[in-house]
């Protein structure tokens, strides 16, 4: 079945450092891929998405490229801020009638000033 | 920006009691979902709902669980006789359409603690 594997955290970075959070997936067909973010005390917010191979999703300085050849959707940001401290979730939604989101475990990011 | 709202934010219940978690999806959305996250584990799909009926459910969603859209705005999850292992964060989500590329929009969650 479909699955998502995310790099384990926690990840601790200094402000302005480069961020990569790895995400790989297993799926039949052509899934859509999402990154959600959960700030402390809040719900799951959509950060970005990509719906076909080679698409790049971007938002708030974060980017992720849908790589079908490596079945990956790694999240990157060139210069993190303290306000980016949160838990980041990679998720996929299968093609066809698969309505549900399949989730990675989540990666906690702490950015220090 | 429209939001999904969930109440209560935290529910504490004795084992064996019934609990109802409430959600108000985004008003023009037609597809509704419940997920849960047990501490330290992945977010898990429970059920999806469209046109006043369940469209898909997971193995977790057994006879103890039910969902309802009692009026034009609320979407509820009921657990009939709670167990200790039902303790989790429960998230409601909605989407405008159900195609693969449509994102789901989530509420802030209800933390359910079973004693």
């Amino acid at each position: 079945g479909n699955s998502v594997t995310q790099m384990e955290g926690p990840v601790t970075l200094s402000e302005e450092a480069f961020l990569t959070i790895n995400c790989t997936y297993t799926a039949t067909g052509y899934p859509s891929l999402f990154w959600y973010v959960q700030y402390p005390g809040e719900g799951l917010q959509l950060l970005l998405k990509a719906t076909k191979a080679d698409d790049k999703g971007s938002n708030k300085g974060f980017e992720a490229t849908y790589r079908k050849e490596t079945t990956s959707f790694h999240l990157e940001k060139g210069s993190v801020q303290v306000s980016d401290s949160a838990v980041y979730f990679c998720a996929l939604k299968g093609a066809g009638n698969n309505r549900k989101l399949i989730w990675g475990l989540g990666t906690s990011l702490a950015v220090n000033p | 920006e429209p939001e999904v709202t969930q109440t209560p934010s935290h529910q504490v219940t004795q084992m064996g009691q019934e609990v109802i978690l409430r959600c108000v999806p985004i008003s023009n959305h037609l597809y509704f979902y419940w997920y849960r996250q047990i501490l330290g584990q992945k977010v898990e799909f429970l059920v999806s709902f469209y046109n006043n009926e369940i469209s898909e459910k997971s193995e977790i969603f057994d006879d103890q669980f039910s969902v309802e859209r009692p009026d034009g705005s609320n979407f509820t999850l009921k657990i009939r006789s709670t167990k200790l292992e039902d303790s989790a964060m429960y998230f409601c989500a909605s989407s405008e359409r159900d195609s693969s590329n449509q994102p789901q929009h989530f509420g802030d969650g209800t933390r359910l603690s079973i004693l």
Side-chain angles (χ1 to χ4, degrees):
Chain A
N2 295 344
S3 67
V4 175
T5 302
Q6 241 179 284
M7 69 181 279
E8 290 189 25
V11 173
T12 303
L13 295 173
S14 298
E15 210 165 19
E16 299 183 2
F18 184 86
L19 168 71
T20 301
I21 300 178
N22 290 338
C23 171
T24 57
Y25 68 90
T26 302
T28 53
Y30 299 92
S32 292
L33 301 171
F34 304 86
W35 277 99
Y36 282 82
V37 58
Q38 186 177 31
Y39 298 104
E42 298 185 17
L44 297 162
Q45 299 177 25
L46 177 67
L47 181 60
L48 53 84
K49 69 173 186 176
T51 59
K52 60 182 187 295
D54 301 324
D55 265 4
K56 178 186 283 188
S58 60
N59 186 25
K60 299 181 182 179
F62 290 89
E63 294 182 339
T65 301
Y66 186 161
R67 302 274 187 213
K68 190 156 181 65
E69 63 277 13
T70 54
T71 62
S72 65
F73 192 55
H74 304 321
L75 182 69
E76 296 181 336
K77 187 173 186 182
S79 176
V80 293
Q81 306 301 311
V82 172
S83 57
D84 294 326
S85 299
V87 181
Y88 292 82
F89 294 89
C90 185
L92 75 80
K93 195 174 182 189
N97 292 325
N98 282 326
R99 295 173 172 87
K100 58 182 178 283
L101 282 165
I102 306 297
W103 298 82
L105 191 53
T107 302
S108 175
L109 170 66
V111 180
N112 297 321
Chain B
E1 186 175 327
E3 292 182 339
V4 175
T5 57
Q6 289 186 243
T7 55
S9 56
H10 191 190
Q11 174 80 46
V12 181
T13 302
Q14 291 287 330
M15 186 172 59
Q17 296 296 305
E18 174 183 285
V19 66
I20 297 175
L21 309 183
R22 301 180 192 281
C23 171
V24 179
I26 295 172
S27 62
N28 65 330
H29 285 187
L30 301 177
Y31 297 85
F32 314 115
Y33 313 85
W34 283 101
Y35 292 81
R36 79 173 185 190
Q37 185 182 27
I38 295 171
L39 190 64
Q41 299 184 22
K42 290 186 177 184
V43 177
E44 301 172 290
F45 168 78
L46 293 178
V47 65
S48 60
F49 191 87
Y50 168 69
N51 199 26
N52 282 319
E53 60 182 32
I54 290 172
S55 42
E56 187 178 359
K57 61 182 181 179
S58 71
E59 292 176 355
I60 303 166
F61 195 88
D62 62 20
D63 292 345
Q64 292 301 307
F65 290 86
S66 62
V67 288
E68 193 178 34
R69 188 157 164 80
D71 52 44
S73 60
N74 288 284
F75 178 52
T76 62
L77 173 70
K78 182 193 292 186
I79 308 175
R80 265 180 266 285
S81 177
T82 49
K83 303 187 280 286
L84 293 176
E85 54 265 37
D86 293 328
S87 295
M89 181 73 90
Y90 287 80
F91 292 104
C92 173
S94 68
S95 65
E96 189 175 355
R97 293 186 296 279
D98 197 39
S99 55
S100 174
N101 61 5
Q102 278 292 303
Q104 295 172 11
H105 299 267
F106 286 80
D108 285 349
T110 294
R111 182 172 299 283
L112 178 62
S113 300
I114 307 299
L115 304 179

